[in-house]
Amino acid sequence: MEHEELTRKIDAYLEENWETMVEDIETLVRIPSFEESDKATEGAPFGPGPKEALEAALEMASDMGFKTHDAEGYIGFADFPGKSDTQLGIIGHMDVVPAGPGWNFEPYAVTRKEGYLVGRGTLDDKGPSVVALHAMKFWKDLQDAGEAPQFPYTVRFLFGANEESGMADVAYYHKHYDDPAFLFTPDAEFPVCYGEKGGYDGELISKPIADRIVLEFTGGAATNAVPGLAHAIVNADAHELKSTDRIVVTEAGPGRARLEATGKGAHASLPDDGINAIGLIVDYLLEHDLCTADERAFFELDQKLLNHTDGSGIGIKSSDEYFGPLTVIGGTIALKDDRFVQTVDSRFPTSITADEITERLRQLASEIGGSFENTLLMEPFLVKPDSPVIQALLNAYNEATGEDAKPFTMGGGTY
């Protein structure tokens, strides 16, 4: 089939099936498929939401005529057999991050606005997964109509259910199945991402502080997001404390004040787009001396973390030629057993190691009698931009669009 004829058929498919594609996206978006480990059951290891979304995606693929399989709720796949059993893989994820605050539209629905689809998962990653699945169906329809030869390889579409919070879905697949010979994920931007910064999570924990001024302190919805909201309750007279443009002070009972901070949420890989609500409260507590000596020691360390997203405050600033600068945020905070627990998320380049990050944070924590533990680690992933696989994907995009786009790296993490 000539290239121009194929392009016409693609355009015709999109024209005829666009509304169906949007409906398919909405089918998945309306499922709040964030992990709830406390509700995990056999066959639903990440909770009911990811399981429901996985089942919906597999049903969608089955209705298109593909043979599907649910791998015990960890992951699922749909196969498009080719001339050989050698697999080309596509992997998308059906889970999402909790919606959190700040939505102007219903998060678990698709809203059309000015040419965009708005809803949790329309971009990451339900929308792109649906479009990629329809690309498989497009070629299958051509084959079924005798208008295209049988594809030389078997295409396997993998539907993940745990990308956002650990990637245990991929670990399960690795254990039970052979890897595809080649795989890409529609979970970044065009034209093609050739590298991801390392992903590093941890917990910065204070020593036990039973005698506190700060009675409650919570903030953030996820480790990997700049928190938009946080609050604290302190032993203080609310009438003697002033609200600011981002912190509202109210009474919380006799001799107690409640501090409500409103920042601006952002993804951990792009922290400069956000305003950390936990940091706003920490700054306020320190400025108004709303802390004991032990609390102050922890908050001063936390301030160094929260107010310097390049890592300079805690001595881990670094950069390299492929990824640029390291980023770091504090995503959530809570009080547990009289200890303040601050989660840490860093996206790091090849110029620093995870061990160096851990060693530095443990040193800082020990200086105030606290501790630090690394809870998640993904080493930097890099396929050189001039490699054949990257060039194949890049050239396909540029040929289709007429652009001269360049490949890139990112701080986000995916499969």
Side-chain angles (χ1 to χ4, degrees):
M1 186 184 303
E2 295 295 329
H3 177 72
E4 289 185 1
E5 182 184 358
L6 177 61
T7 300
R8 285 196 298 271
K9 289 183 179 294
I10 292 172
D11 290 341
Y13 182 91
L14 291 172
E15 180 72 24
E16 294 168 10
N17 293 277
W18 175 243
E19 289 302 321
T20 299
M21 294 166 72
V22 174
E23 290 172 7
D24 288 344
I25 293 170
E26 185 161 28
T27 294
L28 297 177
V29 168
R30 63 172 169 252
I31 301 169
S33 52
F34 51 87
E35 183 180 17
E36 295 179 281
S37 56
D38 59 323
K39 297 180 181 179
T41 60
E42 184 176 354
F46 312 117
K51 175 66 173 181
E52 183 182 352
L54 177 60
E55 289 178 337
L58 291 173
E59 181 179 359
M60 194 179 297
S62 178
D63 289 345
M64 292 179 179
F66 299 115
K67 183 178 179 180
T68 62
H69 179 72
D70 182 341
E72 300 184 37
Y74 283 89
I75 197 167
F77 51 83
D79 285 342
F80 177 25
K83 288 183 179 179
S84 77
D85 292 333
T86 300
Q87 289 183 1
L88 297 184
I90 306 169
I91 183 169
H93 65 89
M94 301 300 102
D95 62 315
V96 295
V97 173
W103 282 82
N104 295 318
F105 301 92
E106 167 56 43
Y108 299 113
V110 171
T111 301
R112 306 187 196 208
K113 182 174 176 61
E114 298 176 2
Y116 290 90
L117 302 181
V118 182
R120 174 58 90 203
T122 53
L123 178 64
D124 183 16
D125 185 34
K126 294 173 178 179
S129 294
V130 165
V131 174
L133 183 62
H134 271 271
M136 273 177 56
K137 181 179 184 296
F138 165 76
W139 197 263
K140 181 179 183 300
D141 288 351
L142 288 183
Q143 283 190 189
D144 292 348
E147 298 178 10
Q150 186 177 17
F151 201 70
Y153 306 105
T154 293
V155 181
R156 170 164 288 186
F157 201 121
L158 292 152
F159 300 97
N162 187 232
E163 190 269 354
E164 295 288 5
S165 52
M167 303 195 193
D169 46 1
V170 168
Y172 182 92
Y173 190 85
H174 273 307
K175 183 177 180 180
H176 294 87
Y177 302 92
D178 293 333
D179 290 342
F182 173 80
L183 179 142
F184 76 94
T185 177
D187 192 22
E189 298 178 9
F190 288 107
V192 57
C193 173
Y194 67 88
E196 297 175 354
K197 288 179 179 177
Y200 183 101
D201 287 357
E203 289 186 343
L204 181 64
I205 306 171
S206 74
K207 69 179 182 180
I209 309 173
D211 185 19
R212 301 188 312 275
I213 292 177
V214 180
L215 306 177
E216 291 184 19
F217 197 171
T218 62
T223 301
N224 65 344
V226 176
L229 295 175
H231 89 269
I233 294 178
V234 298
N235 269 329
D237 186 345
H239 299 291
E240 295 182 359
L241 299 174
K242 293 183 178 180
S243 297
T244 70
D245 59 337
R246 290 194 173 271
I247 294 181
V248 175
V249 181
T250 57
E251 287 190 78
R256 293 185 177 181
R258 180 182 180 91
L259 313 178
E260 289 275 0
T262 302
K264 179 184 176 185
H267 194 277
S269 64
L270 299 168
D272 290 343
D273 292 344
I275 298 172
N276 195 308
I278 298 171
L280 293 173
I281 288 185
V282 167
D283 290 345
Y284 192 96
L285 295 172
L286 291 172
E287 180 182 351
H288 293 82
D289 199 25
L290 296 170
C291 47
T292 65
D294 287 338
E295 287 174 305
R296 175 170 287 278
F298 178 80
F299 293 146
E300 286 180 346
L301 174 55
D302 207 22
Q303 187 179 57
K304 293 175 182 177
L305 164 69
L306 301 171
N307 290 0
H308 303 276
T309 59
D310 63 355
S312 59
I314 52 175
I316 59 171
K317 184 177 180 179
S318 190
S319 182
D320 74 3
E321 63 176 307
Y322 294 109
F323 294 108
L326 172 150
T327 62
V328 65
I329 68 156
T332 67
I333 196 168
L335 263 168
K336 299 178 182 178
D337 300 325
D338 290 329
R339 299 174 187 264
F340 294 98
V341 180
Q342 171 70 68
T343 62
V344 177
D345 181 298
S346 179
R347 311 302 167 100
F348 64 99
T350 60
S351 50
I352 190 171
T353 67
D355 287 343
E356 289 173 319
I357 297 173
T358 300
E359 181 180 356
R360 178 59 179 160
L361 284 166
R362 282 182 176 169
Q363 174 191 345
L364 292 172
S366 68
E367 291 174 359
I368 61 167
S371 62
F372 176 81
E373 293 298 329
N374 174 217
T375 57
L376 174 70
L377 174 60
M378 295 180 290
E379 295 290 351
F381 174 78
L382 182 70
V383 178
K384 296 293 181 65
D386 58 356
S387 67
V389 292
I390 297 301
Q391 288 299 308
L393 293 169
L394 177 64
N395 291 338
Y397 175 84
N398 283 336
E399 182 179 345
T401 64
E403 298 178 19
D404 185 25
K406 306 300 180 185
F408 63 94
T409 62
M410 67 178 183
T414 184
Y415 297 121

